[in-house]
């Protein structure tokens, strides 16, 4: 008998292009993921996944099952939204997503306020790069997402929230600290960059172009926390969200540098699918966001 768990695991294996990636995403062991796929294939009587040295990919039958699985999940999601209309804020679920910086540093603060207003609503947060967040929104896996600037897909709409500044940070003992800098002062520095596909990475690259420093040495790293640790260890300097580095600059673990011209700013937006009918918890969260004129303290 086919189960929803089996379908979810299959979808994750195909999306992750492998069993280990699916296991990590689902917080399961790799043998458990393999067992779910094996049981699903046994139930349907066909092979669904090609297992190769380069990862896993769906068979033609697997592609059909994945397509139908998405339809099943959409129907269940629609059912939950309809039922939630009868509960108002007395129950239900709120699933949100945010790009790495926004999901890590902003969403928990907004949810703290929301949970006081709707304590009986169960909340979830997903964090990924901009491409992942838009994909989750388009597939209906999350209701609302926090992203930077305008979404790339026409099926998504964005509500602008506020403007966020970027800050160039260095280790506290850097000779760059304590004086106004020009781009020429940074020419011999190593810039620590976010991973490709990150919204922050695009702003970092834009700043380097503005400063005429495209040819400066660059090291790629994953996520703002890794960059902050690397800067603190003297591996280089990095341009990060003012909110991602606030605690470190206030405590003196990192130093904010003054550069003229200043780094670019970015607009934080709440994104949703145009055709999605929001549940009462989702509507309440949107209303909460409308009252946010600046990043919550």
């Amino acid at each position: 008998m086919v189960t929803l768990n089996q379908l979810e695991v299959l979808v994750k294996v195909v999306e992750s292009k492998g069993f280990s990636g699916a296991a990590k995403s689902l917080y399961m062991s790799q043998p458990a993921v393999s067992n779910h796929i094996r049981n699903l294939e046994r139930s349907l009587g066909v092979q669904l996944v090609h297992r190769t040295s380069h990862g896993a990919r769906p068979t033609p039958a697997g592609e059909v099952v994945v397509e139908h699985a998405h339809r099943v999940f959409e129907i269940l999601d629609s059912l939950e939204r309809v039922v939630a209309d009868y509960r108002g804020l007395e129950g239900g679920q709120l699933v949100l997503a945010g790009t790495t910086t926004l999901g890590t540093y902003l969403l928990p603060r907004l949810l703290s306020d929301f949970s006081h207003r709707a304590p009986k609503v169960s909340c979830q947060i997903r964090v990924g790069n901009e491409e992942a967040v838009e994909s989750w929104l388009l597939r209906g896996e999350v209701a609302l997402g926090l992203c930077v600037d305008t979404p790339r897909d026409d099926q998504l709409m964005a509500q602008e929230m506020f403007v966020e500044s970027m800050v160039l940070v260095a280790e506290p003992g850097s000779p760059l600290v304590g004086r106004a800098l020009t781009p020429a002062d940074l020419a011999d520095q190593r810039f620590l960059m976010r991973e490709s596909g990150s919204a922050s990475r695009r702003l970092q690259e834009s700043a380097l172009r503005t400063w005429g420093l495209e040819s400066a040495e660059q090291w790629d790293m994953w996520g703002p926390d890794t960059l902050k640790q690397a800067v603190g260890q003297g591996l280089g300097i990095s341009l990060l969200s003012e909110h991602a580095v606030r605690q470190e600059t206030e405590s003196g673990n990192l130093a904010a540098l003054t550069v003229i011209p200043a780094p670019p700013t970015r607009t934080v937006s709440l994104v949703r699918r145009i055709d999605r009918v929001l549940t009462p918890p989702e509507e309440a969260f949107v209303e909460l966001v409308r009252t946010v004129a600046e990043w919550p303290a």
Side-chain angles (χ1 to χ4, degrees):
M1 179 180 177
V2 175
T3 68
L4 291 175
N5 268 350
Q6 292 169 349
L7 293 177
E8 182 182 17
V9 170
L10 175 63
V11 169
K12 289 298 181 184
V13 167
V14 172
E15 290 177 351
S16 305
K17 298 182 175 61
F19 286 73
S20 60
K24 183 178 180 181
S25 175
L26 294 167
Y27 301 99
M28 298 171 61
S29 68
Q30 191 166 331
V33 169
S34 298
N35 189 51
H36 276 297
I37 297 300
R38 189 161 46 248
N39 289 338
L40 180 58
E41 289 177 329
R42 188 179 298 119
S43 294
L44 295 175
V46 292
Q47 184 180 359
L48 301 174
V49 177
H50 285 305
R51 301 158 177 83
T52 72
S53 58
H54 300 292
R57 58 187 179 87
T59 64
E63 292 178 351
V64 171
V65 175
V66 167
E67 180 183 349
H68 280 73
H70 282 307
R71 293 179 189 172
V72 169
F73 296 144
E74 286 180 3
I75 291 171
L76 289 174
D77 187 51
S78 175
L79 173 62
E80 289 185 359
R81 291 200 298 271
V82 170
V83 172
D85 287 340
Y86 294 95
R87 292 196 303 261
L89 297 180
E90 294 303 308
Q93 188 177 59
L94 177 65
V95 184
L96 306 170
T99 52
T100 308
T101 298
L102 301 176
T104 302
Y105 297 97
L106 176 57
L107 268 180
R109 297 180 185 182
L110 291 174
L111 273 187
S112 176
D113 192 353
F114 178 82
S115 65
H116 283 93
R117 303 184 185 192
K120 295 184 179 181
V121 175
S122 171
C123 299
Q124 294 182 22
I125 294 177
R126 287 193 185 187
V127 177
N129 62 24
E130 197 168 34
E131 182 179 340
V133 172
E134 290 194 13
S135 176
W136 294 333
L137 288 164
L138 290 170
R139 293 201 302 265
E141 295 181 19
V142 300
L144 303 163
L146 287 178
C147 298
V148 174
D149 296 325
T150 305
R152 290 164 288 187
D153 196 289
D154 291 340
Q155 297 180 64
L156 300 176
M157 60 182 291
Q159 172 190 334
E160 293 186 359
M161 294 174 59
F162 46 79
V163 175
E164 180 185 29
S165 297
M166 302 293 284
V167 178
L168 188 64
V169 290
E171 63 174 324
S174 169
L176 299 174
V177 177
R179 58 192 177 97
L181 304 169
T182 66
D185 297 319
L186 305 174
D188 61 346
Q189 296 295 310
R190 177 188 299 130
F191 286 84
L192 306 182
M193 310 289 285
R194 282 287 304 275
E195 71 280 1
S196 296
S198 161
S200 294
R201 172 62 175 259
R202 293 201 299 274
L203 262 75
Q204 290 171 335
E205 292 174 340
S206 174
L208 291 181
R209 286 194 298 270
T210 298
W211 294 334
L213 298 174
E214 301 99 314
S215 60
E217 184 180 5
Q218 300 175 30
W219 284 9
D220 290 0
M221 298 186 180
W222 185 274
D225 288 340
T226 304
L227 286 178
K228 289 189 291 185
Q229 290 294 325
V231 170
Q233 294 300 317
L235 293 178
I237 60 178
S238 188
L239 189 65
L240 291 165
S241 158
E242 60 178 317
H243 303 103
V245 299
R246 183 180 63 179
Q247 290 186 349
E248 288 79 9
T249 54
E250 289 180 353
S251 66
N253 291 326
L254 295 178
L257 303 178
T258 302
V259 188
I260 302 173
T265 59
R266 62 184 188 177
T267 302
V268 176
S269 297
L270 183 67
V271 181
R272 55 181 281 195
R273 207 167 73 181
I274 291 175
D275 62 349
R276 183 174 179 115
V277 178
L278 298 183
T279 65
E282 293 162 1
E283 288 280 13
F285 186 80
V286 171
E287 187 59 34
L288 168 65
V289 169
R290 288 197 184 104
T291 67
V292 177
E294 57 185 17
W295 191 291

